[in-house]
PDB file of all heavy atoms in Angstrom:
ATOM      1  N   LEU A 124      -1.719  46.637 -15.335  1.00 97.00           N
ATOM      2  CA  LEU A 124      -1.032  45.645 -16.163  1.00 97.00           C
ATOM      3  C   LEU A 124       0.481  45.752 -16.022  1.00 97.00           C
ATOM      4  O   LEU A 124       1.180  44.742 -15.925  1.00 97.00           O
ATOM      5  CB  LEU A 124      -1.448  45.815 -17.629  1.00 97.00           C
ATOM      6  CG  LEU A 124      -0.897  44.793 -18.613  1.00 97.00           C
ATOM      7  CD1 LEU A 124      -1.419  43.395 -18.290  1.00 97.00           C
ATOM      8  CD2 LEU A 124      -1.269  45.187 -20.036  1.00 97.00           C
ATOM      9  N   LEU A 125       0.984  46.968 -15.980  1.00 97.00           N
ATOM     10  CA  LEU A 125       2.434  47.177 -15.909  1.00 97.00           C
ATOM     11  C   LEU A 125       3.017  46.851 -14.541  1.00 97.00           C
ATOM     12  O   LEU A 125       4.246  46.845 -14.387  1.00 97.00           O
ATOM     13  CB  LEU A 125       2.775  48.603 -16.331  1.00 97.00           C
ATOM     14  CG  LEU A 125       2.504  48.900 -17.808  1.00 97.00           C
ATOM     15  CD1 LEU A 125       2.690  50.380 -18.106  1.00 97.00           C
ATOM     16  CD2 LEU A 125       3.355  48.040 -18.708  1.00 97.00           C
ATOM     17  N   LYS A 126       2.185  46.542 -13.570  1.00 97.00           N
ATOM     18  CA  LYS A 126       2.674  46.098 -12.266  1.00 97.00           C
ATOM     19  C   LYS A 126       3.167  44.653 -12.336  1.00 97.00           C
ATOM     20  O   LYS A 126       3.907  44.215 -11.452  1.00 97.00           O
ATOM     21  CB  LYS A 126       1.577  46.219 -11.211  1.00 97.00           C
ATOM     22  CG  LYS A 126       1.254  47.643 -10.838  1.00 97.00           C
ATOM     23  CD  LYS A 126       0.123  47.716  -9.828  1.00 97.00           C
ATOM     24  CE  LYS A 126      -0.237  49.159  -9.517  1.00 97.00           C
ATOM     25  NZ  LYS A 126      -1.437  49.244  -8.671  1.00 97.00           N
ATOM     26  N   ARG A 127       2.767  43.941 -13.370  1.00 96.00           N
ATOM     27  CA  ARG A 127       3.193  42.544 -13.539  1.00 96.00           C
ATOM     28  C   ARG A 127       4.652  42.501 -13.975  1.00 96.00           C
ATOM     29  O   ARG A 127       5.067  43.254 -14.843  1.00 96.00           O
ATOM     30  CB  ARG A 127       2.322  41.839 -14.567  1.00 96.00           C
ATOM     31  CG  ARG A 127       0.899  41.710 -14.122  1.00 96.00           C
ATOM     32  CD  ARG A 127       0.058  41.108 -15.216  1.00 96.00           C
ATOM     33  NE  ARG A 127      -1.335  41.114 -14.779  1.00 96.00           N
ATOM     34  CZ  ARG A 127      -2.078  40.032 -14.741  1.00 96.00           C
ATOM     35  NH1 ARG A 127      -1.602  38.881 -15.134  1.00 96.00           N
ATOM     36  NH2 ARG A 127      -3.320  40.108 -14.325  1.00 96.00           N
ATOM     37  N   GLU A 128       5.392  41.594 -13.373  1.00 96.00           N
ATOM     38  CA  GLU A 128       6.812  41.476 -13.675  1.00 96.00           C
ATOM     39  C   GLU A 128       7.079  41.012 -15.096  1.00 96.00           C
ATOM     40  O   GLU A 128       8.136  41.294 -15.650  1.00 96.00           O
ATOM     41  CB  GLU A 128       7.485  40.518 -12.693  1.00 96.00           C
ATOM     42  CG  GLU A 128       7.574  41.066 -11.287  1.00 96.00           C
ATOM     43  CD  GLU A 128       8.300  40.142 -10.342  1.00 96.00           C
ATOM     44  OE1 GLU A 128       9.081  39.280 -10.818  1.00 96.00           O
ATOM     45  OE2 GLU A 128       8.093  40.264  -9.136  1.00 96.00           O
ATOM     46  N   ASN A 129       6.130  40.305 -15.693  1.00 97.00           N
ATOM     47  CA  ASN A 129       6.370  39.732 -17.019  1.00 97.00           C
ATOM     48  C   ASN A 129       5.777  40.571 -18.155  1.00 97.00           C
ATOM     49  O   ASN A 129       5.698  40.117 -19.286  1.00 97.00           O
ATOM     50  CB  ASN A 129       5.847  38.300 -17.085  1.00 97.00           C
ATOM     51  CG  ASN A 129       4.350  38.180 -16.838  1.00 97.00           C
ATOM     52  OD1 ASN A 129       3.706  39.080 -16.307  1.00 97.00           O
ATOM     53  ND2 ASN A 129       3.791  37.041 -17.230  1.00 97.00           N
ATOM     54  N   VAL A 130       5.389  41.812 -17.855  1.00 98.00           N
ATOM     55  CA  VAL A 130       4.799  42.691 -18.869  1.00 98.00           C
ATOM     56  C   VAL A 130       5.558  44.016 -18.907  1.00 98.00           C
ATOM     57  O   VAL A 130       5.854  44.603 -17.868  1.00 98.00           O
ATOM     58  CB  VAL A 130       3.309  42.974 -18.562  1.00 98.00           C
ATOM     59  CG1 VAL A 130       2.735  43.970 -19.561  1.00 98.00           C
ATOM     60  CG2 VAL A 130       2.498  41.686 -18.562  1.00 98.00           C
ATOM     61  N   SER A 131       5.868  44.464 -20.124  1.00 98.00           N
ATOM     62  CA  SER A 131       6.479  45.775 -20.302  1.00 98.00           C
ATOM     63  C   SER A 131       5.813  46.476 -21.483  1.00 98.00           C
ATOM     64  O   SER A 131       5.167  45.843 -22.311  1.00 98.00           O
ATOM     65  CB  SER A 131       7.991  45.660 -20.539  1.00 98.00           C
ATOM     66  OG  SER A 131       8.252  44.945 -21.728  1.00 98.00           O
ATOM     67  N   MET A 132       5.992  47.774 -21.516  1.00 98.00           N
ATOM     68  CA  MET A 132       5.422  48.572 -22.594  1.00 98.00           C
ATOM     69  C   MET A 132       6.421  49.651 -22.944  1.00 98.00           C
ATOM     70  O   MET A 132       6.992  50.292 -22.051  1.00 98.00           O
ATOM     71  CB  MET A 132       4.101  49.188 -22.157  1.00 98.00           C
ATOM     72  CG  MET A 132       3.386  49.959 -23.211  1.00 98.00           C
ATOM     73  SD  MET A 132       1.790  50.508 -22.525  1.00 98.00           S
ATOM     74  CE  MET A 132       0.924  50.882 -24.016  1.00 98.00           C
ATOM     75  N   VAL A 133       6.641  49.841 -24.249  1.00 98.00           N
ATOM     76  CA  VAL A 133       7.560  50.869 -24.718  1.00 98.00           C
ATOM     77  C   VAL A 133       6.905  51.684 -25.826  1.00 98.00           C
ATOM     78  O   VAL A 133       6.027  51.190 -26.535  1.00 98.00           O
ATOM     79  CB  VAL A 133       8.901  50.275 -25.216  1.00 98.00           C
ATOM     80  CG1 VAL A 133       9.666  49.618 -24.068  1.00 98.00           C
ATOM     81  CG2 VAL A 133       8.685  49.287 -26.345  1.00 98.00           C
ATOM     82  N   VAL A 134       7.349  52.928 -25.927  1.00 98.00           N
ATOM     83  CA  VAL A 134       6.855  53.849 -26.951  1.00 98.00           C
ATOM     84  C   VAL A 134       8.043  54.274 -27.812  1.00 98.00           C
ATOM     85  O   VAL A 134       9.149  54.494 -27.307  1.00 98.00           O
ATOM     86  CB  VAL A 134       6.198  55.084 -26.297  1.00 98.00           C
ATOM     87  CG1 VAL A 134       5.825  56.122 -27.335  1.00 98.00           C
ATOM     88  CG2 VAL A 134       4.973  54.676 -25.504  1.00 98.00           C
ATOM     89  N   CYS A 135       7.787  54.414 -29.078  1.00 98.00           N
ATOM     90  CA  CYS A 135       8.795  54.847 -30.042  1.00 98.00           C
ATOM     91  C   CYS A 135       9.173  56.316 -29.800  1.00 98.00           C
ATOM     92  O   CYS A 135       8.308  57.189 -29.785  1.00 98.00           O
ATOM     93  CB  CYS A 135       8.233  54.662 -31.454  1.00 98.00           C
ATOM     94  SG  CYS A 135       9.273  55.306 -32.757  1.00 98.00           S
ATOM     95  N   GLU A 136      10.458  56.574 -29.622  1.00 98.00           N
ATOM     96  CA  GLU A 136      10.924  57.941 -29.391  1.00 98.00           C
ATOM     97  C   GLU A 136      10.740  58.824 -30.625  1.00 98.00           C
ATOM     98  O   GLU A 136      10.527  60.030 -30.505  1.00 98.00           O
ATOM     99  CB  GLU A 136      12.393  57.940 -28.948  1.00 98.00           C
ATOM    100  CG  GLU A 136      12.574  57.360 -27.557  1.00 98.00           C
ATOM    101  CD  GLU A 136      14.021  57.220 -27.144  1.00 98.00           C
ATOM    102  OE1 GLU A 136      14.930  57.647 -27.904  1.00 98.00           O
ATOM    103  OE2 GLU A 136      14.261  56.654 -26.061  1.00 98.00           O
ATOM    104  N   MET A 137      10.787  58.232 -31.808  1.00 98.00           N
ATOM    105  CA  MET A 137      10.551  59.023 -33.025  1.00 98.00           C
ATOM    106  C   MET A 137       9.103  59.507 -33.070  1.00 98.00           C
ATOM    107  O   MET A 137       8.833  60.629 -33.519  1.00 98.00           O
ATOM    108  CB  MET A 137      10.896  58.203 -34.272  1.00 98.00           C
ATOM    109  CG  MET A 137      12.389  57.979 -34.415  1.00 98.00           C
ATOM    110  SD  MET A 137      12.911  57.318 -36.012  1.00 98.00           S
ATOM    111  CE  MET A 137      12.033  55.781 -36.108  1.00 98.00           C
ATOM    112  N   THR A 138       8.178  58.677 -32.583  1.00 98.00           N
ATOM    113  CA  THR A 138       6.776  59.087 -32.514  1.00 98.00           C
ATOM    114  C   THR A 138       6.613  60.220 -31.514  1.00 98.00           C
ATOM    115  O   THR A 138       5.901  61.197 -31.783  1.00 98.00           O
ATOM    116  CB  THR A 138       5.877  57.892 -32.138  1.00 98.00           C
ATOM    117  OG1 THR A 138       5.976  56.906 -33.172  1.00 98.00           O
ATOM    118  CG2 THR A 138       4.435  58.307 -31.966  1.00 98.00           C
ATOM    119  N   LEU A 139       7.273  60.110 -30.368  1.00 98.00           N
ATOM    120  CA  LEU A 139       7.217  61.192 -29.379  1.00 98.00           C
ATOM    121  C   LEU A 139       7.729  62.500 -29.980  1.00 98.00           C
ATOM    122  O   LEU A 139       7.114  63.558 -29.822  1.00 98.00           O
ATOM    123  CB  LEU A 139       8.036  60.825 -28.135  1.00 98.00           C
ATOM    124  CG  LEU A 139       7.516  59.685 -27.267  1.00 98.00           C
ATOM    125  CD1 LEU A 139       8.510  59.391 -26.143  1.00 98.00           C
ATOM    126  CD2 LEU A 139       6.151  60.006 -26.708  1.00 98.00           C
ATOM    127  N   LYS A 140       8.840  62.405 -30.675  1.00 98.00           N
ATOM    128  CA  LYS A 140       9.434  63.595 -31.281  1.00 98.00           C
ATOM    129  C   LYS A 140       8.501  64.190 -32.339  1.00 98.00           C
ATOM    130  O   LYS A 140       8.289  65.413 -32.372  1.00 98.00           O
ATOM    131  CB  LYS A 140      10.788  63.242 -31.894  1.00 98.00           C
ATOM    132  CG  LYS A 140      11.535  64.418 -32.450  1.00 98.00           C
ATOM    133  CD  LYS A 140      12.904  64.006 -32.969  1.00 98.00           C
ATOM    134  CE  LYS A 140      13.641  65.207 -33.526  1.00 98.00           C
ATOM    135  NZ  LYS A 140      14.963  64.837 -34.036  1.00 98.00           N
ATOM    136  N   ARG A 141       7.937  63.351 -33.182  1.00 97.00           N
ATOM    137  CA  ARG A 141       7.056  63.822 -34.248  1.00 97.00           C
ATOM    138  C   ARG A 141       5.824  64.542 -33.692  1.00 97.00           C
ATOM    139  O   ARG A 141       5.357  65.516 -34.245  1.00 97.00           O
ATOM    140  CB  ARG A 141       6.640  62.655 -35.155  1.00 97.00           C
ATOM    141  CG  ARG A 141       5.900  63.107 -36.406  1.00 97.00           C
ATOM    142  CD  ARG A 141       5.623  61.988 -37.394  1.00 97.00           C
ATOM    143  NE  ARG A 141       4.587  61.116 -36.913  1.00 97.00           N
ATOM    144  CZ  ARG A 141       4.752  59.848 -36.550  1.00 97.00           C
ATOM    145  NH1 ARG A 141       5.932  59.280 -36.617  1.00 97.00           N
ATOM    146  NH2 ARG A 141       3.740  59.127 -36.126  1.00 97.00           N
ATOM    147  N   HIS A 142       5.304  64.052 -32.566  1.00 97.00           N
ATOM    148  CA  HIS A 142       4.117  64.649 -31.947  1.00 97.00           C
ATOM    149  C   HIS A 142       4.469  65.684 -30.872  1.00 97.00           C
ATOM    150  O   HIS A 142       3.582  66.183 -30.181  1.00 97.00           O
ATOM    151  CB  HIS A 142       3.231  63.554 -31.340  1.00 97.00           C
ATOM    152  CG  HIS A 142       2.599  62.664 -32.353  1.00 97.00           C
ATOM    153  ND1 HIS A 142       1.469  63.017 -33.052  1.00 97.00           N
ATOM    154  CD2 HIS A 142       2.944  61.430 -32.801  1.00 97.00           C
ATOM    155  CE1 HIS A 142       1.127  62.038 -33.877  1.00 97.00           C
ATOM    156  NE2 HIS A 142       2.020  61.064 -33.746  1.00 97.00           N
ATOM    157  N   GLU A 143       5.775  65.954 -30.711  1.00 98.00           N
ATOM    158  CA  GLU A 143       6.272  66.911 -29.722  1.00 98.00           C
ATOM    159  C   GLU A 143       5.761  66.598 -28.318  1.00 98.00           C
ATOM    160  O   GLU A 143       5.210  67.441 -27.617  1.00 98.00           O
ATOM    161  CB  GLU A 143       5.916  68.342 -30.137  1.00 98.00           C
ATOM    162  CG  GLU A 143       6.537  68.750 -31.454  1.00 98.00           C
ATOM    163  CD  GLU A 143       6.152  70.137 -31.909  1.00 98.00           C
ATOM    164  OE1 GLU A 143       5.311  70.794 -31.261  1.00 98.00           O
ATOM    165  OE2 GLU A 143       6.715  70.581 -32.931  1.00 98.00           O
ATOM    166  N   ILE A 144       5.986  65.344 -27.922  1.00 98.00           N
ATOM    167  CA  ILE A 144       5.548  64.847 -26.612  1.00 98.00           C
ATOM    168  C   ILE A 144       6.784  64.530 -25.768  1.00 98.00           C
ATOM    169  O   ILE A 144       7.715  63.878 -26.245  1.00 98.00           O
ATOM    170  CB  ILE A 144       4.677  63.575 -26.769  1.00 98.00           C
ATOM    171  CG1 ILE A 144       3.401  63.915 -27.548  1.00 98.00           C
ATOM    172  CG2 ILE A 144       4.355  62.966 -25.415  1.00 98.00           C
ATOM    173  CD1 ILE A 144       2.602  62.695 -27.960  1.00 98.00           C
TER     174      ILE A 144
END
Side-chain angles (χ1 to χ4, degrees):
L124 184 64
L125 293 172
K126 289 178 183 173
R127 295 175 185 235
E128 291 183 21
N129 61 342
V130 176
S131 62
M132 184 176 198
V133 295
V134 173
C135 174
E136 291 174 4
M137 290 192 300
T138 297
L139 292 176
K140 185 177 180 180
R141 189 173 73 247
H142 292 280
E143 298 178 355
I144 297 170

